[in-house]
Amino acid sequence: MSTQTTTASVGTVVAEREVHLTRDALVRYAGASGDFNPIHYSDDVAASVGLPGVLAHGMLTMGLAVQPVSEWLGDRGWIARYGVRFTRPVVVDPQDGATVGVVAKVGTVDDEGRPQRIDLTVTAAGQTVLGKAQVTVAFR
């Protein structure tokens, strides 16, 4: 286990990632989560309830967004708290899928200069899809 701590300034990017989602990925997530709501796989059902298309599961998007922070922390620490507001859906095109982009920046630091809060910018199709996405981290 690494005992190295990390110091960083507010605004420092600690992780970035793009994740491409396909309809197949949505089906696999539905199987793993048990969420078989047809808005996540049926264009007809999504359209019938006024949606712009099949949507990625909100919890899938939320999980994808925090993963780069978890990997950045490694065994040096843990995620103590994580919260988001779902602001826009991620529409997953049947042919092209969707790409979710994540940028994780230091929002606050503790008295020792270690990151304390990580702010996430999560986008798809050029729009923010998670608002107030904040991760509180703790170091060993």
Side-chain angles (χ1 to χ4, degrees):
M1 173 173 68
S2 171
T3 59
Q4 173 188 3
T5 59
T6 300
T7 58
S9 302
V10 171
T12 300
V13 174
V14 297
E16 292 183 87
R17 174 165 303 151
E18 285 192 345
V19 178
H20 186 72
L21 291 174
T22 63
R23 293 280 180 93
D24 288 346
L26 300 184
V27 170
R28 287 191 299 276
Y29 184 81
S33 69
D35 182 351
F36 293 101
N37 186 326
I39 66 168
H40 301 302
Y41 61 83
S42 172
D43 289 299
D44 293 340
V45 171
S48 75
V49 296
L51 296 173
V54 165
L55 307 181
H57 302 73
M59 295 304 288
L60 172 59
T61 304
M62 191 176 173
L64 292 173
V66 77
Q67 185 176 3
V69 175
S70 178
E71 291 173 2
W72 166 76
L73 277 170
D75 63 358
R76 296 173 298 163
W78 64 93
I79 293 171
R81 183 179 310 156
Y82 177 39
V84 306
R85 289 191 181 157
F86 297 101
T87 57
R88 287 185 182 86
V90 175
V91 179
V92 181
D93 185 81
Q95 282 79 37
D96 298 331
T99 299
V100 176
V102 180
V103 177
K105 291 183 181 180
V106 176
T108 62
V109 295
D110 65 16
D111 292 339
E112 297 176 32
R114 297 177 299 190
Q116 189 173 41
R117 189 189 76 225
I118 306 297
D119 298 332
L120 304 177
T121 301
V122 185
T123 59
Q127 296 189 329
T128 300
V129 296
L130 297 179
K132 293 201 76 111
Q134 298 179 332
V135 184
T136 303
V137 296
F139 289 89
R140 299 188 194 289

